[in-house]
Amino acid sequence: MDELRMINFLDAFITNALSIIIPLLLVSRGLDVVQIGLIVSMSPIVFVVSRSIFAAISDQVGVRRFFILNGAMNVVSLAVYLVASNPLLFSLGKMFEGVRNGAIWAVNRTAIFLSKGRKGAVVEMSTTQAIRTGAAAMGIVMAGLLLNSYSFDAVLVFFMLLGVVLFSISFLVEGKRKSKIKMKEIFGQLDFRKRSELLKKTSLIMMPFSVATAVPLSLAFPLFLRDIGYSYWLIGLAIALYYTISAVTTFLFMKMKWGKRATWLGGVLFLAGGILLPFLGGWWAIPLMVIMGVGDGVSTPLWETLVFNSTRSSKDVSSDIALVHIPPNLAQAVCLITAGVLVKLWGYWLVFGLCGVSFVISFYFSFELLRESRYRL
């Protein structure tokens, strides 16, 4: 389990550093918000496809080789960004990022599920998510610091070297299951129509949940902060504080066993922060993003509960976990493109407001679904 935490730490460190480096690099190359939204949307599209295929295969051959693939794709995507000179190559880099994310998330929860069981998996995965969130904050701060002093190319080389370290550590993951890949079984495992009504409902509820945080973190936050005059260092600091507060909140939520009321309070805080952020801006941006981070933090255990509850009777855990994430990730891709258009036409206020509303709505339907499925919170 320790090697899984190390892998998750490094993967989140690199992944989230890139989430601010690449949009800012694209801005420096003269691309507008619509073009950037289109490029960034490539990652979740490829992620959906690759994760589903990898998950079905992993149910037959085990998880180890997909952690190795994740490490390799971290290096490859960074190498592509180093040589990229046009939007097409940047889109290719985002596609490799999609494969990278697909590889780790095809097996991440499964490795924990098989080790801890359903009840223990919720706690361990929430802990792992907190580790990833803390690592994300550190990676973003590091990116901001380095960009203040060095060129984009030098910063990309630094993170590529970290990718090599991650690739090396991934070989420590144990592999137990060995069998030949049976394509007929894979297609059966990926047939969404044959899945339970609970899984289908969960995947729909997770759509607004996913979009509400993905759009700000992948697009709106770095571009908005840049537009209001924040330096690379301050952009990194602001987004890192969001992640740090989110991680601390998740940890406290699990430790103190806060309940449903605390979760609802987090939802309201996220909504309030999203509505106020584009109007107040300036130095208010940082405390308002911190408030949104609190809301994001209390949502993590709820998200993991939804995932494991939807797959509680599953025979093919990896496949079903991947399938339940397909609609949310497709929604991310569509909304990243849409958000770029909305920002260009009407400004950031509409995008942040819609994200806040989506976040709160997802809480309501999540609790209703868990009540219907008789899950004890």
Side-chain angles (χ1 to χ4, degrees):
M1 194 60 67
D2 286 343
E3 65 271 13
L4 292 182
R5 290 184 176 184
M6 290 170 63
I7 288 169
N8 274 281
F9 179 89
L10 285 172
D11 180 70
F13 190 93
I14 298 168
T15 298
N16 290 280
L18 287 178
S19 73
I20 70 162
I21 292 171
I22 301 307
L24 294 175
L25 174 57
L26 293 172
V27 168
S28 74
R29 298 286 175 86
L31 276 69
D32 66 24
V33 66
V34 177
Q35 292 173 305
I36 295 172
L38 184 60
I39 291 171
V40 172
S41 72
M42 293 296 104
S43 181
I45 292 172
V46 175
F47 172 60
V48 166
V49 177
S50 62
R51 178 184 185 164
S52 301
I53 296 172
F54 295 158
I57 295 173
S58 73
D59 281 328
Q60 298 181 30
V61 303
V63 302
R64 182 173 183 264
R65 63 193 68 188
F66 295 100
F67 284 110
I68 294 172
L69 179 61
N70 164 258
M73 288 298 102
N74 265 293
V75 178
V76 171
S77 60
L78 281 154
V80 171
Y81 290 137
L82 270 172
V83 300
S85 57
N86 56 60
L88 184 61
L89 283 176
F90 279 108
S91 296
L92 180 63
K94 276 295 173 185
M95 289 178 184
F96 281 120
E97 280 200 67
V99 175
R100 174 203 66 196
N101 294 336
I104 191 169
W105 287 111
V107 295
N108 214 10
R109 287 183 176 88
T110 304
I112 292 171
F113 184 90
L114 295 174
S115 174
K116 297 290 185 178
R118 183 166 68 93
K119 285 290 184 181
V122 172
V123 175
E124 179 61 29
M125 194 63 224
S126 294
T127 302
T128 300
Q129 289 286 32
I131 290 171
R132 290 186 66 90
T133 306
M138 296 180 197
I140 289 168
V141 167
M142 181 62 72
L145 283 170
L146 291 174
L147 287 174
N148 255 18
S149 304
Y150 301 97
S151 68
F152 280 102
D153 284 353
V155 175
L156 289 172
V157 168
F158 171 79
F159 283 100
M160 187 165 69
L161 292 175
L162 283 182
V164 173
V165 174
L166 170 58
F167 178 61
S168 302
I169 293 174
S170 65
F171 284 91
L172 298 176
V173 177
E174 293 183 6
K176 295 181 179 179
R177 192 181 308 180
K178 295 181 180 179
S179 65
K180 292 182 179 179
I181 298 174
K182 301 174 183 177
M183 296 305 298
K184 189 174 181 180
E185 288 186 15
I186 289 175
F187 289 123
Q189 289 167 232
L190 296 178
D191 191 342
F192 198 82
R193 297 169 300 175
K194 296 180 180 179
R195 292 308 181 263
S196 67
E197 287 301 312
L198 175 60
L199 187 144
K200 293 174 184 176
K201 288 181 180 179
T202 301
S203 67
L204 292 176
I205 289 169
M206 290 167 70
M207 289 172 67
F209 214 148
S210 175
V211 168
T213 54
V215 169
L217 290 169
S218 299
L219 183 71
F221 278 159
L223 298 186
F224 170 73
L225 294 173
R226 185 63 176 164
D227 283 354
I228 63 174
Y230 274 42
S231 65
Y232 291 145
W233 152 242
L234 279 177
I235 292 172
L237 177 63
I239 298 176
L241 282 173
Y242 175 102
Y243 277 108
T244 301
I245 294 299
S246 179
V248 170
T249 304
T250 299
F251 176 78
L252 291 175
F253 189 98
M254 301 302 296
K255 192 78 173 176
M256 306 298 290
K257 297 183 178 179
W258 293 338
K260 194 173 178 180
R261 290 182 181 178
T263 305
W264 272 115
L265 176 60
V268 172
L269 288 174
F270 189 94
L271 173 62
I275 291 174
L276 294 173
L277 179 60
F279 293 105
L280 296 180
W283 286 103
W284 280 103
I286 292 179
L288 288 172
M289 287 173 64
V290 166
I291 289 173
M292 294 176 74
V294 172
D296 195 351
V298 299
S299 75
T300 298
L302 180 58
W303 177 277
E304 296 304 330
T305 299
L306 287 171
V307 172
F308 288 113
N309 181 57
S310 70
T311 59
R312 60 189 180 187
S313 302
S314 173
K315 293 180 180 179
D316 301 310
V317 178
S318 293
S319 300
D320 281 359
I321 289 176
L323 285 173
V324 80
H325 283 86
I326 287 178
N329 283 284
L330 288 176
Q332 279 186 34
V334 172
C335 290
L336 283 167
I337 297 171
T338 305
V341 175
L342 293 178
V343 167
K344 191 167 186 177
L345 293 177
W346 290 291
Y348 289 98
W349 67 270
L350 183 58
V351 171
F352 283 122
L354 288 174
C355 287
V357 171
S358 297
F359 196 71
V360 173
I361 288 174
S362 67
F363 276 31
Y364 171 77
F365 286 108
S366 296
F367 284 124
E368 283 297 301
L369 181 63
L370 291 172
R371 182 183 60 80
E372 287 177 14
S373 60
R374 297 179 181 178
Y375 187 95
R376 290 186 178 181
L377 293 170

